[in-house]
Amino acid sequence: MAMQSILDDTATFMEHLGLGEEPFGVYYSDTLPENAYGPKKGTPISRELEESGQLDMQEVMKSFSCVIGNIWLARKKRSAAFISSEEYGCPGGVYYCSMMKPHLRFIEHYVSTGFEGTPLHGERYMPNPDAMREFMLKVNPREATGKYCIFKPLSSFTDAEKPEFVIFFARPEILTGLFIQTVFTTGDMECVVSPFGAGCTGLLAWPLYYQQQGLEKAVLGGLDPSARKFMKTDELTFTVPLGLYEKMLAALPDSMFNHETDWKSVRKKVERSAKAWGEES
């Protein structure tokens, strides 16, 4: 499907959903768009440096910058956000976005129970470092296909540079529409998955995982407490591979949006909620 057709059909889909903010796309490139938000260049990091005792994590964390935080800025400015192996910002995000392998072992402790006898007590999202290590090894993002991993509004793409995945930011009623359209398109009751992970894991690492498995899945994310500060109240993420998204758009005429269904009452609720929040619907 031509990019302009995708954009035209997306406008129709957004109207059906009552969604005022266009989705983002993610892709890899050796060239950055203008005015892209991203981390500053940090001290070099790698498993090799970590294991040889040459990696100062306090120094690494001085330049911390969250992938979701940079996307939040890009959303507000309708611009782009990026991460690279040198401008990584987050020692977890650089792995989840395919910019560094293998992951730092530090993350196994940081996200779980910390380091015993130190002030780092961990985020307590996983019960122990072993469980976190198992998760990191399973996600195992592929190697990046470009110098930069870039997130930008869908309307910024052209036929010459299409997104690999389409990312929606939405509240539950609109997510209901996205969820049902995915089910209606695929006929698969398990076509939407929501595995554990950081905010950027749900945006990209898990979608890449299912793509590599040859599975057509949408990923519901945004359940990372650390990323919530960069998201609206009650908002979650919904990431769809471009091929599946095109099928979802093609299935719109026959879906619940164009027939007498309960979606109409949901759509009215979306409108009321948008007015209450002072948002476009």
Coordinates of all heavy atoms in Angstrom, one line a residue, residues 45 47 50 57 60-61 64 90-96 100 102-115 120 122-123 125-126 128-129 131-133 135-136 196 198:
I45 N 29.7 2.2 26.6 CA 29.2 1.1 27.4 C 29.2 -0.2 26.6 O 29.0 -0.2 25.4 CB 27.8 1.3 28.0 CG1 26.8 1.5 26.8 CG2 27.7 2.5 28.9 CD1 25.3 1.6 27.3
R47 N 29.1 -4.9 27.5 CA 29.3 -6.0 28.4 C 30.8 -6.2 28.7 O 31.2 -6.5 29.9 CB 28.6 -7.3 27.9 CG 28.9 -8.5 28.7 CD 28.0 -8.6 29.9 NE 26.6 -8.8 29.6 CZ 26.1 -10.0 29.3 NH1 26.9 -11.1 29.3 NH2 24.8 -10.1 29.0
E50 N 32.0 -3.8 31.2 CA 31.3 -4.1 32.5 C 32.1 -5.2 33.2 O 32.4 -5.1 34.3 CB 29.9 -4.4 32.2 CG 29.1 -4.7 33.5 CD 27.7 -5.1 33.3 OE1 27.4 -5.9 32.3 OE2 26.8 -4.6 34.0
M57 N 29.0 2.9 36.4 CA 27.6 3.1 36.2 C 27.1 4.4 36.7 O 26.1 5.0 36.1 CB 26.8 2.0 36.8 CG 26.9 0.6 36.1 SD 26.6 0.7 34.3 CE 24.9 1.3 34.3
V60 N 27.7 6.6 33.8 CA 26.7 6.2 32.7 C 25.4 6.9 33.0 O 24.7 7.5 32.1 CB 26.5 4.7 32.6 CG1 25.3 4.3 31.7 CG2 27.8 4.0 32.1
M61 N 24.9 6.8 34.3 CA 23.6 7.3 34.6 C 23.5 8.9 34.6 O 22.4 9.4 34.7 CB 23.1 6.8 36.0 CG 23.0 5.2 35.9 SD 21.9 4.6 34.7 CE 20.3 4.9 35.5
F64 N 21.6 9.9 31.7 CA 20.3 9.2 31.6 C 19.3 10.0 30.8 O 19.0 11.1 31.1 CB 19.8 8.7 32.9 CG 18.5 7.9 32.8 CD1 18.6 6.5 32.5 CD2 17.2 8.5 32.8 CE1 17.4 5.8 32.3 CE2 16.1 7.7 32.7 CZ 16.2 6.3 32.4
C90 N 19.8 5.5 28.0 CA 19.3 4.5 29.0 C 20.0 3.2 28.7 O 19.9 2.7 27.6 CB 17.8 4.3 28.9 SG 17.1 3.0 29.9
P91 N 20.7 2.6 29.7 CA 21.4 1.3 29.5 C 20.4 0.1 29.2 O 20.9 -0.9 28.7 CB 22.2 1.1 30.8 CG 21.4 1.9 31.8 CD 20.9 3.1 31.1
G92 N 19.1 0.3 29.5 CA 18.2 -0.7 29.1 C 17.6 -0.4 27.7 O 17.5 -1.3 26.9
G93 N 17.2 0.8 27.5 CA 16.6 1.2 26.2 C 17.5 0.9 25.0 O 17.1 0.6 24.0
V94 N 18.9 1.1 25.2 CA 19.8 0.9 24.1 C 19.8 -0.6 23.7 O 20.0 -0.9 22.5 CB 21.2 1.4 24.5 CG1 21.8 0.4 25.6 CG2 22.1 1.5 23.3
Y95 N 19.5 -1.5 24.6 CA 19.3 -2.9 24.3 C 18.0 -3.2 23.6 O 17.9 -3.8 22.6 CB 19.5 -3.7 25.6 CG 19.3 -5.2 25.4 CD1 20.2 -6.0 24.7 CD2 18.1 -5.8 25.9 CE1 20.0 -7.4 24.5 CE2 17.9 -7.2 25.7 CZ 18.8 -8.0 25.1 OH 18.6 -9.3 24.9
Y96 N 16.9 -2.7 24.3 CA 15.6 -2.9 23.8 C 15.3 -2.4 22.4 O 14.5 -2.9 21.6 CB 14.5 -2.3 24.7 CG 14.6 -2.9 26.1 CD1 14.5 -2.0 27.2 CD2 14.7 -4.2 26.4 CE1 14.6 -2.5 28.5 CE2 14.7 -4.7 27.7 CZ 14.7 -3.9 28.7 OH 14.8 -4.3 30.0
M100 N 22.5 -2.2 21.1 CA 23.6 -2.8 21.8 C 23.3 -4.2 22.2 O 22.2 -4.5 22.7 CB 24.0 -2.0 23.0 CG 25.2 -2.5 23.7 SD 25.5 -1.7 25.4 CE 24.3 -2.7 26.3
P102 N 25.6 -7.8 23.8 CA 24.6 -8.2 24.8 C 24.2 -7.1 25.8 O 24.9 -6.1 25.8 CB 25.2 -9.4 25.5 CG 26.7 -9.1 25.5 CD 26.9 -8.4 24.2
H103 N 23.2 -7.4 26.6 CA 22.8 -6.4 27.6 C 23.8 -6.3 28.7 O 24.5 -7.2 29.0 CB 21.4 -6.7 28.1 CG 21.4 -8.0 28.9 ND1 21.2 -9.2 28.4 CD2 21.5 -8.2 30.3 CE1 21.3 -10.1 29.4 NE2 21.4 -9.5 30.5
L104 N 23.7 -5.2 29.4 CA 24.5 -5.0 30.6 C 23.9 -5.9 31.8 O 22.7 -5.8 32.0 CB 24.6 -3.6 31.1 CG 25.3 -2.6 30.1 CD1 25.3 -1.2 30.8 CD2 26.7 -3.0 29.8
R105 N 24.8 -6.6 32.5 CA 24.3 -7.4 33.6 C 23.7 -6.5 34.7 O 22.9 -6.9 35.5 CB 25.4 -8.2 34.2 CG 26.0 -9.2 33.1 CD 25.0 -10.3 32.7 NE 24.5 -11.1 33.7 CZ 25.2 -12.3 34.1 NH1 26.3 -12.7 33.4 NH2 24.7 -13.0 35.0
F106 N 24.2 -5.2 34.8 CA 23.7 -4.3 35.7 C 22.1 -4.2 35.7 O 21.5 -4.1 36.8 CB 24.3 -2.9 35.4 CG 23.6 -1.7 36.1 CD1 24.0 -1.4 37.4 CD2 22.7 -1.0 35.5 CE1 23.4 -0.3 38.1 CE2 22.1 0.1 36.2 CZ 22.5 0.4 37.5
I107 N 21.6 -4.3 34.5 CA 20.1 -4.2 34.4 C 19.4 -5.3 35.1 O 18.3 -5.1 35.6 CB 19.7 -4.2 32.9 CG1 20.3 -3.0 32.2 CG2 18.2 -4.2 32.7 CD1 19.8 -1.6 32.6
E108 N 20.0 -6.5 35.2 CA 19.4 -7.6 35.8 C 19.1 -7.3 37.3 O 18.1 -7.7 37.9 CB 20.3 -8.8 35.7 CG 20.5 -9.3 34.3 CD 21.6 -10.3 34.1 OE1 22.0 -10.8 35.2 OE2 22.0 -10.6 33.0
H109 N 20.0 -6.5 37.9 CA 19.9 -6.2 39.3 C 19.1 -4.9 39.5 O 18.3 -4.8 40.4 CB 21.3 -6.0 39.9 CG 22.1 -7.2 39.9 ND1 22.2 -8.1 41.0 CD2 22.9 -7.8 38.9 CE1 23.0 -9.1 40.7 NE2 23.4 -8.9 39.5
Y110 N 19.3 -3.9 38.6 CA 18.6 -2.6 38.7 C 17.1 -2.8 38.6 O 16.4 -2.1 39.4 CB 19.1 -1.7 37.6 CG 18.5 -0.3 37.6 CD1 19.0 0.6 38.4 CD2 17.5 0.0 36.7 CE1 18.5 1.9 38.5 CE2 17.0 1.3 36.7 CZ 17.5 2.2 37.6 OH 16.9 3.5 37.6
V111 N 16.6 -3.6 37.8 CA 15.2 -3.8 37.6 C 14.6 -4.8 38.6 O 13.4 -4.8 38.8 CB 14.8 -4.2 36.1 CG1 13.3 -4.4 35.9 CG2 15.4 -3.2 35.1
S112 N 15.4 -5.5 39.3 CA 14.9 -6.5 40.2 C 15.2 -6.1 41.7 O 14.6 -5.1 42.2 CB 15.4 -7.9 39.9 OG 16.9 -7.9 40.0
T113 N 16.1 -6.7 42.3 CA 16.3 -6.5 43.8 C 17.6 -5.8 44.1 O 18.0 -5.8 45.3 CB 16.2 -7.8 44.5 OG1 17.1 -8.8 43.9 CG2 14.8 -8.4 44.5
G114 N 18.2 -5.2 43.1 CA 19.4 -4.4 43.4 C 20.7 -5.2 43.8 O 20.7 -6.4 43.5
F115 N 21.6 -4.5 44.4 CA 22.8 -5.2 44.8 C 22.9 -5.2 46.3 O 22.9 -4.2 47.0 CB 24.1 -4.4 44.3 CG 24.2 -4.5 42.8 CD1 23.7 -3.5 42.0 CD2 25.0 -5.5 42.2 CE1 23.8 -3.6 40.6 CE2 25.1 -5.6 40.8 CZ 24.5 -4.6 40.0
L120 N 21.7 0.6 46.2 CA 20.8 0.3 45.1 C 19.9 -0.9 45.4 O 20.3 -2.0 45.4 CB 21.7 0.0 43.8 CG 20.8 -0.3 42.5 CD1 20.1 0.9 42.1 CD2 21.7 -0.8 41.4
G122 N 17.1 -1.6 43.9 CA 16.4 -2.1 42.7 C 14.9 -1.5 42.6 O 14.3 -1.1 43.5
E123 N 14.4 -1.7 41.3 CA 13.1 -1.2 41.1 C 12.0 -2.2 41.6 O 10.8 -1.8 41.7 CB 12.9 -0.9 39.6 CG 13.7 0.2 39.1 CD 13.6 0.5 37.6 OE1 13.8 -0.5 36.8 OE2 13.2 1.6 37.2
Y125 N 10.6 -4.7 40.0 CA 9.7 -5.1 39.0 C 9.7 -6.6 38.7 O 8.8 -7.2 38.2 CB 9.9 -4.3 37.7 CG 9.8 -2.8 37.8 CD1 10.3 -2.0 36.8 CD2 9.2 -2.2 38.9 CE1 10.2 -0.6 36.9 CE2 9.1 -0.8 39.0 CZ 9.6 0.0 38.0 OH 9.5 1.4 38.1
M126 N 10.9 -7.2 38.9 CA 11.1 -8.6 38.8 C 11.6 -9.1 40.2 O 12.2 -8.4 40.9 CB 12.2 -8.9 37.7 CG 11.6 -9.0 36.3 SD 10.8 -10.6 36.1 CE 10.6 -10.6 34.3
N128 N 13.9 -11.3 41.1 CA 15.3 -11.5 41.3 C 16.0 -11.3 40.0 O 15.4 -11.3 38.9 CB 15.5 -12.9 41.9 CG 14.9 -14.0 41.1 OD1 15.2 -14.2 39.9 ND2 14.0 -14.8 41.7
P129 N 17.4 -11.2 40.1 CA 18.2 -11.0 38.9 C 18.0 -12.1 37.9 O 18.1 -11.9 36.7 CB 19.6 -10.9 39.4 CG 19.4 -10.4 40.8 CD 18.2 -11.0 41.3
A131 N 15.4 -14.0 37.1 CA 14.2 -13.8 36.4 C 14.3 -12.7 35.4 O 13.9 -12.8 34.2 CB 13.0 -13.5 37.3
M132 N 15.0 -11.6 35.8 CA 15.3 -10.5 34.8 C 16.2 -10.9 33.7 O 16.0 -10.6 32.5 CB 15.9 -9.3 35.6 CG 16.0 -8.1 34.8 SD 14.4 -7.5 34.1 CE 14.9 -6.2 33.0
R133 N 17.2 -11.7 34.0 CA 18.1 -12.2 33.0 C 17.3 -13.1 32.0 O 17.6 -13.0 30.8 CB 19.2 -13.0 33.6 CG 20.3 -13.5 32.6 CD 21.4 -14.3 33.2 NE 22.0 -13.6 34.4 CZ 21.9 -14.0 35.6 NH1 21.4 -15.2 35.9 NH2 22.5 -13.3 36.6
F135 N 14.2 -12.9 31.1 CA 13.5 -12.0 30.3 C 14.3 -11.3 29.2 O 14.0 -11.2 28.0 CB 12.8 -10.9 31.2 CG 12.5 -9.6 30.5 CD1 11.5 -9.5 29.6 CD2 13.2 -8.5 30.7 CE1 11.2 -8.3 28.9 CE2 12.9 -7.3 30.1 CZ 11.9 -7.2 29.2
M136 N 15.5 -10.8 29.6 CA 16.4 -10.1 28.7 C 16.8 -11.0 27.6 O 16.9 -10.6 26.4 CB 17.6 -9.6 29.4 CG 17.3 -8.5 30.5 SD 16.7 -7.0 29.8 CE 18.2 -6.1 29.4
F196 N 5.5 -8.5 29.9 CA 6.3 -7.6 30.8 C 7.4 -6.9 30.0 O 8.0 -7.5 29.1 CB 6.9 -8.4 31.9 CG 7.9 -7.6 32.7 CD1 7.6 -6.7 33.7 CD2 9.3 -7.8 32.4 CE1 8.6 -6.0 34.4 CE2 10.3 -7.1 33.1 CZ 9.9 -6.2 34.1
A198 N 9.9 -2.8 29.8 CA 10.0 -1.4 29.9 C 9.1 -0.8 28.9 O 8.6 -1.4 28.0 CB 11.4 -0.9 29.7

